[in-house]
Amino acid sequence: MSELATQALAEGALGAALLHIEHADLAAARPLLQEAVAGGVSTGSNASLYHGAPALEFVLGRAGRVDREVQAGVDRVVAARLAAARRRRLARHLPTLAEFDLIRGLTGLGALLLTRPGPSPLLEGILSHLASLACPVEAEGRMLPGWWSPESPTHGVGIPGGHGNNGIAHGIAGPLALLSLAARRGIRVDGQSSAITTFATWLEQFGSSYWITLDQLTADEPPQLPPLRPSWCYGDLGITRALQLAALAHGDPARRQKAEAIALAALADSDRLDRVSDASLCHGWAGILTAATALAADSATPDRFTVSIQHARRRLAEGIGELPKPGFLEGRAGAQLALDGSNVTGWTCALLIH
C-alpha cells in the first residue's frame, strides 16, 4: 500500500485503526498506526481531516492520545489554509470545494479542532471564514452564493457557470453542521448565527438536489428531479442531520420538525432506498443508519424512526460482508462501527454527525 493510502482516513490504515480503538483494542490498532506513519506524515497542501497529520491527530485523539508535534503540524496546516482562503476572498475569486468542504477543506479541519479541549483561535478563524461564505458574491455580472464553486462536482464532466454543492461531505451542509455544533457548545463568532440561517434556508429550498447548477438557480421553478439516493455524503440523511443541528443550535422546533419530516419521507421512499447499492458509511446503509440514529436521538418523537432504523440495520448486516474495501468511509471498518452502534470515542465527529 502506498504512503498516500496509509495516511488516508477514508480508506487507509488510519481508518481501519478506528474500529479497534472504538473496541478499546489498542494492541490491534498499534500496528496500523505504525504502518500509517512509516513514511512520514503529510503537512502539505493535501493534508486534511481525511489525510496526513490532521487525520492522524483525529485517530490518536479517539484513543485519548495527544502528540504535541502532530498538533503543531496541524496548526501550521490550518494557518496556511486560512491564509490561502483569505487571499482568494480578497481576490474576489469563487472558492473551490477543497477550500471549505469536510473531506479536504476547512470544515474538516474545524471538525478536528472542535474535538480539542478548550478555546482555539484557529477554530474561531475557521468558523469566521465559513460564516463569511453566507455573503453573496458577484461573478460574471451575477450575484451568487458565497460558496458557489466554479468547478464541477464530478470528474471529467464540466458544468458551465459552476455549481452550488449541497452535500455534507463536499457541500454547504458541512459548514452548516460545523457552525451549528460549535454554537451548541457555546463557541460563537460574528456572523455565525445569520450564516446558519442562510445555509439552512438554502438547503430547505434546494437540498433535494445533490447540487444546483446556474441554470437551475435562475429557473422560475425548482428543479424536477428523479428519486435520489438518501445517503450521508450526498442526499437527505446527511443534509437533514445538518438541518436538525441548525434547528437545535437556534432553538427552532419548527425547523427541527421540518428536517425530521424530510428524513422520514426519504427513509420511507422505496424508490430512493432502492438506489442504495452497498453497506458503506459514505453512500450506503451504514451512513443511513448512523445519521438516522442521530436524528432519532435528538428528536422529540424518536419512535417515528424506529422501523426505518431497524430496516437500515438489517440491510447493513446483510451487506457488510460484500464490501471489498477494509477501510472507514467505503469499507468494512466503517460499516462495522455503524453496525456496532457505539460512539464511545466520538468517531462520528469525522462525519459531522455529532
Side-chain angles (χ1 to χ4, degrees), residues 195-229:
I196 289 172
T197 298
T198 296
F199 299 155
T201 301
W202 168 276
L203 288 170
E204 287 172 345
Q205 181 176 0
F206 294 114
S208 58
S209 304
Y210 289 170
W211 52 78
I212 292 295
T213 66
L214 188 58
D215 286 344
Q216 291 170 330
L217 181 65
T218 56
D220 293 332
E221 298 291 335
Q224 299 299 311
L225 300 167
L228 297 173
R229 182 180 61 198

Side-chain angles (χ1 to χ4, degrees):
M1 183 179 290
S2 71
E3 175 187 333
L4 289 176
T6 59
Q7 290 186 32
L9 178 59
E11 297 182 7
L14 282 177
L18 274 179
L19 176 62
H20 299 300
I21 293 171
E22 180 67 20
H23 290 168
D25 188 352
L26 297 185
R30 191 169 293 110
L32 291 168
L33 293 171
Q34 291 171 342
E35 177 186 349
V37 302
V41 181
S42 175
T43 56
S45 60
N46 62 350
S48 67
L49 173 61
Y50 277 80
H51 183 79
L56 178 60
E57 180 185 336
F58 180 78
V59 175
L60 290 175
R62 299 323 93 210
R65 302 292 197 269
V66 175
D67 186 308
R68 299 300 181 192
E69 186 176 350
V70 171
Q71 284 194 344
V74 170
D75 289 350
R76 291 193 296 272
V77 169
V78 174
R81 299 292 286 275
L82 279 172
R86 293 189 191 103
R87 289 194 298 271
R88 188 274 306 165
R89 190 172 61 204
L90 289 172
R92 299 183 181 276
H93 295 157
L94 293 171
T96 63
L97 299 180
E99 175 185 294
F100 67 83
D101 75 7
L102 171 64
I103 302 297
R104 297 166 294 171
L106 287 168
T107 295
L109 293 170
L112 168 61
L113 296 185
L114 196 59
T115 67
R116 291 182 181 177
S120 166
L122 286 172
L123 174 58
E124 292 175 358
I126 289 175
L127 297 176
S128 293
H129 180 73
L130 295 177
S132 77
L133 297 177
C135 299
V137 295
E138 184 175 355
E140 299 182 2
R142 298 178 183 271
M143 294 306 295
L144 295 170
W147 64 92
W148 197 265
S149 177
E151 63 190 334
S152 170
T154 56
H155 296 295
V157 180
I159 296 183
H163 78 292
N165 200 293
N166 296 330
I168 198 167
H170 293 296
I172 200 58
L176 175 60
L178 179 64
L179 290 168
S180 301
L181 286 166
R184 293 187 73 193
R185 299 180 194 184
I187 303 170
R188 295 181 174 87
V189 298
D190 290 345
Q192 182 174 352
S193 181
S194 61
I196 289 172
T197 298
T198 296
F199 299 155
T201 301
W202 168 276
L203 288 170
E204 287 172 345
Q205 181 176 0
F206 294 114
S208 58
S209 304
Y210 289 170
W211 52 78
I212 292 295
T213 66
L214 188 58
D215 286 344
Q216 291 170 330
L217 181 65
T218 56
D220 293 332
E221 298 291 335
Q224 299 299 311
L225 300 167
L228 297 173
R229 182 180 61 198
S231 54
W232 165 79
C233 59
Y234 279 112
D236 284 322
L237 269 294
I239 287 172
T240 53
R241 177 55 175 167
L243 286 169
Q244 187 193 47
L245 289 169
L248 292 166
H250 277 180
D252 187 341
R255 173 158 277 157
R256 187 186 70 188
Q257 291 167 11
K258 186 174 183 178
E260 292 168 14
I262 296 170
L264 287 164
L267 289 166
D269 189 329
S270 58
D271 286 340
R272 280 187 270 180
L273 293 178
D274 285 346
R275 285 162 171 75
V276 182
S277 59
D278 68 30
S280 71
L281 272 177
C282 186
H283 44 256
W285 290 108
I288 290 172
L289 174 62
T290 304
T293 301
L295 281 157
D298 280 326
S299 173
T301 52
D303 291 349
R304 294 184 299 164
F305 289 87
T306 300
V307 171
S308 295
I309 287 173
Q310 291 172 343
H311 176 69
R313 183 177 297 280
R314 184 169 62 253
R315 293 297 302 270
L316 171 56
E318 291 169 354
I320 190 170
E322 299 175 9
L323 289 171
K325 297 180 180 180
F328 178 63
L329 267 191
E330 296 184 345
R332 296 183 297 277
Q336 189 63 55
L337 281 165
L339 187 61
D340 291 345
S342 66
N343 191 32
V344 176
T345 62
W347 66 268
T348 58
C349 296
L351 305 176
L352 284 179
I353 296 293
H354 296 99

